Amino acid sequence: MDHIGRRAVLKAAGAGAAALALPSLLPATPASAATFVKGADVSWLPQMEANGYTFFDSGGVERDLLTILKGYGINAIRLRTWVNPSNDPSNGHCSIDETAAMAKRCKDAGLPVDIDLHFGDMWNSAGVQNPPAAWANMSYSQMLQAMYDYVFHAMNVIKAGGVTPGWVQIGNETNGGICHPVGSLSKPAQMTGLLNAAYDMVKEVFPSTPVLVHLAQPQNLDGVYAFLDAYRGNGGKWDVTGLSSYASGSNIPGVLSNMTAIQSKYGKPVMQVEFGGRYDRADRTRTDLQTFITGLKKFGGLGLFYWEPEVYSPFNSYGMGAWDPATRRPTTALNGFLNA
């Protein structure tokens, strides 16, 4: 079935499901509001809870994680989604059905969501852009059709849960393109075609939701410009430029300066969709968080998302969370949201 026929079938199915959903939806464009976005990516939360991990507030009272985060002024949640993931707790899950369920939970907590489409079965980042296994041997035209179908379906699954995303990211840290080798940066027309297909399908289901492209390493302006120049030059569509930065201390002013330059050059507002700092240096991370938020506000950046602050050992070895494994309470890092 071509993407037009596929869209018609899915649209009818999605409309029926949506009719049963609660009528109150989250605002589609919180990014355009005066409120600065203070967010957190908590995609590991369902798997942590399923494995018995619990969370206490700073006073030692066990609470739902989203409630604790809201107490720090966090007003949005970011959720990644993979196409056909494994069941590994740390490196799997996050299928669109699981992501939609988590998005509904966030909506019920009054938190808009940023849906991060990785276009892979597991981690894709600046150095790795593997297509889903089911797409690996496709030609460009076949992959284009798969992209239309996948994104349209994914958005309708979200919609059927009664959620309108605050934002949708088409790809994760796509400096080198997506779905290598078909959509790599070295094939800019194909890269742009795939991403535009994703953009169009987000807008087909959620016309008012801002769509982000997401680049890593804003300290390397040439690398960011290489992608955005190729994407814009081939007719690429996007509403917000998402950037990842884990810079610390004296490196932050230079990164903020580059973010300002990126926003100015392309005329798209910037959002820092990933931030983090070493768990064992929580006070420094708090200061870094304050510095980024203050700097972003100065040049009109839309907001910042802390990447997986809730994670703590021994769930996995990630060392940039903001939770104390001994007390299961937040570290001082999160106070950066309150103090900025």
Side-chain angles (χ1 to χ4, degrees):
M1 182 182 295
D2 65 20
H3 78 268
I4 295 174
R6 176 75 167 163
R7 284 164 53 189
V9 171
L10 288 170
K11 191 171 185 178
L20 301 175
L22 295 175
S24 176
L25 299 178
L26 291 168
T29 56
S32 65
T35 301
F36 183 86
V37 175
K38 297 180 178 180
D41 187 316
V42 296
S43 302
W44 270 323
L45 177 60
Q47 289 73 57
M48 291 185 72
E49 291 176 331
N51 284 276
Y53 289 82
T54 54
F55 302 89
F56 293 80
D57 65 19
S58 60
V61 178
E62 184 175 349
R63 299 187 187 277
D64 179 83
L65 176 71
L66 299 181
T67 300
I68 298 173
L69 293 177
K70 288 174 69 176
Y72 285 92
I74 286 175
N75 56 17
I77 297 295
R78 180 175 182 254
L79 301 170
R80 65 177 163 270
T81 193
W82 291 322
V83 178
N84 291 303
S86 74
N87 290 322
D88 179 85
S90 290
N91 303 303
H93 289 276
C94 299
S95 68
I96 191 57
D97 291 324
E98 292 172 314
T99 300
M102 188 63 199
K104 175 63 163 58
R105 178 176 166 183
C106 293
K107 178 205 170 203
D108 291 344
L111 294 164
V113 293
D114 171 20
I115 302 297
D116 176 15
L117 300 165
H118 271 243
F119 303 136
D121 294 334
M122 63 177 302
W123 308 106
N124 273 329
S125 63
V128 177
Q129 289 293 331
N130 293 322
W135 302 8
N137 296 316
M138 288 182 177
S139 65
Y140 169 62
S141 61
Q142 291 170 327
M143 191 175 288
L144 188 65
Q145 182 66 58
M147 182 67 80
Y148 276 116
D149 292 345
Y150 168 69
V151 177
F152 189 74
H153 170 71
M155 293 300 100
N156 272 288
V157 172
I158 298 289
K159 183 178 182 180
V163 175
T164 295
W167 313 265
V168 175
Q169 291 180 220
I170 50 172
N172 190 78
E173 297 188 339
T174 60
N175 302 56
I178 62 170
C179 298
H180 288 182
V182 174
S184 67
L185 180 61
S186 63
K187 299 176 180 178
Q190 294 185 177
M191 176 190 79
T192 302
L194 291 170
L195 289 169
N196 275 350
Y199 180 97
D200 289 345
M201 292 301 93
V202 174
K203 295 293 188 176
E204 178 79 12
V205 183
F206 299 115
S208 298
T209 292
V211 176
L212 286 74
V213 291
H214 174 201
L215 290 310
Q217 302 166 359
Q219 69 273 18
N220 176 10
L221 264 183
D222 288 344
V224 173
Y225 287 172
F227 172 89
L228 291 175
D229 284 348
Y231 189 53
R232 184 172 66 178
N234 283 273
K237 305 173 190 177
W238 81 104
D239 305 314
V240 177
T241 303
L243 297 167
S244 299
S245 180
Y246 295 80
S248 181
S250 61
N251 293 320
I252 295 177
V255 170
L256 286 167
S257 178
N258 285 2
M259 288 180 174
T260 307
I262 293 164
Q263 180 164 292
S264 177
K265 178 174 181 178
Y266 298 97
K268 308 289 186 183
V270 161
M271 181 182 288
Q272 186 175 346
V273 295
E274 291 185 19
F275 163 87
R278 284 172 49 177
Y279 161 77
D280 59 352
R281 297 173 62 182
D283 289 344
R284 166 57 68 86
T285 301
R286 177 197 66 219
T287 300
D288 291 342
L289 179 56
Q290 291 173 223
T291 303
F292 264 121
I293 291 175
T294 301
L296 286 160
K297 286 182 175 180
K298 282 183 179 178
F299 73 81
L302 298 180
L304 174 150
F305 285 85
Y306 199 123
W307 199 83
E308 300 282 13
E310 84 287 2
V311 73
Y312 62 88
S313 177
F315 179 72
N316 65 30
S317 60
Y318 181 67
M320 301 180 79
W323 236 262
D324 188 320
T327 65
R328 287 175 284 171
R329 301 183 191 186
T331 69
T332 58
L334 292 186
N335 290 341
F337 282 115
L338 297 173
N339 298 338

